[in-house]
Amino acid sequence: MIVFDRLWKMMKQRGVSTYQLRERGGIDSKTVRRLRANDNMETKTLNKLCAALSCRIEDIMEYIPDRED
């Protein structure tokens, strides 16, 4: 599972609001909701996020293997 916890942590550390992220990256509010829910993202959206935050992809997301209990 891909999670975006690193994105929210980075934004908090840098003092970037979701409004600023939307303005800088051209990302709509629906996409922000999908990011919060760890839904699928298009690579062009990931590119916009990295460009807006001047970061690498691994700075905003990570892969967590699904656990089979």
Side-chain angles (χ1 to χ4, degrees), residues 10-21:
M10 173 187 284
M11 288 174 58
K12 184 175 181 178
Q13 289 172 340
R14 294 185 180 185
V16 176
S17 68
T18 54
Y19 174 79
Q20 291 169 319
L21 182 66

Side-chain angles (χ1 to χ4, degrees), residues 14-31:
R14 294 185 180 185
V16 176
S17 68
T18 54
Y19 174 79
Q20 291 169 319
L21 182 66
R22 288 176 21 225
E23 290 296 309
R24 289 181 192 174
I27 296 166
D28 63 22
S29 58
K30 180 180 176 183
T31 300

Side-chain angles (χ1 to χ4, degrees), residues 46-64:
L46 298 174
N47 189 56
K48 287 179 181 181
L49 288 169
C50 289
L53 295 168
S54 300
C55 67
R56 297 169 50 113
I57 194 75
E58 61 267 23
D59 296 332
I60 62 168
M61 60 187 260
E62 68 180 314
Y63 172 73
I64 308 285

